[in-house]
Amino acid sequence: MTSERTKRNKNWRSRNDEAHARLMEIGDLARAAAAPGWSRLAVRHAQIGSHALTTVTRDGREISVEGTEEPFRRLRELSYRDGAGTWPTWRSRPTSPRPSSSW
């Protein structure tokens, strides 16, 4: 499943532009999967090597969200820095209209 945001724009000017688009895509997917009326939505993705776990909770209850594997994979690639590696855990609390994230 690819979000409408990704379908609309694949011509990013920089790695940062693409990373931002991927963050927005993940937030879009999480918000679309959550039933209307939620007050707290949290996305957590942890990955070590090829082993990954993504958890999305709506008001403290885990929900199923499809289509996050590819945006997280690409976001991880975009975040990689020689000699420093990349993040093992990513967490976001999507709100409307923009998610905030901590790395």
Side-chain angles (χ1 to χ4, degrees):
M1 174 184 211
T2 302
S3 79
E4 287 301 315
R5 185 182 308 269
T6 299
K7 289 177 188 174
R8 285 192 308 259
N9 186 3
K10 289 191 176 187
N11 299 314
W12 298 285
R13 288 178 272 165
S14 70
R15 291 171 64 95
N16 286 340
D17 286 349
E18 184 179 356
H20 177 76
R22 297 299 179 166
L23 289 171
M24 296 298 102
E25 179 180 5
I26 292 163
D28 289 348
L29 292 166
R31 283 189 295 274
W38 57 270
S39 60
R40 183 178 170 99
L41 189 61
V43 179
R44 179 179 164 86
H45 179 82
Q47 184 169 348
I48 301 294
S50 63
H51 304 285
L53 175 65
T54 301
T55 306
V56 180
T57 57
R58 176 196 184 266
D59 297 325
R61 294 183 165 228
E62 192 169 333
I63 63 171
S64 177
V65 177
E66 293 183 23
T68 60
E69 297 83 11
E70 176 58 24
F72 272 122
R73 184 198 63 75
R74 184 64 184 138
L75 186 59
R76 189 170 164 87
E77 286 176 358
L78 291 165
S79 301
Y80 179 80
R81 299 291 178 257
D82 278 338
T86 190
W87 45 268
T89 303
W90 181 87
R91 182 179 61 217
S92 178
R93 292 185 181 86
T95 59
S96 183
R98 302 261 186 249
S100 61
S101 62
S102 59
W103 301 83

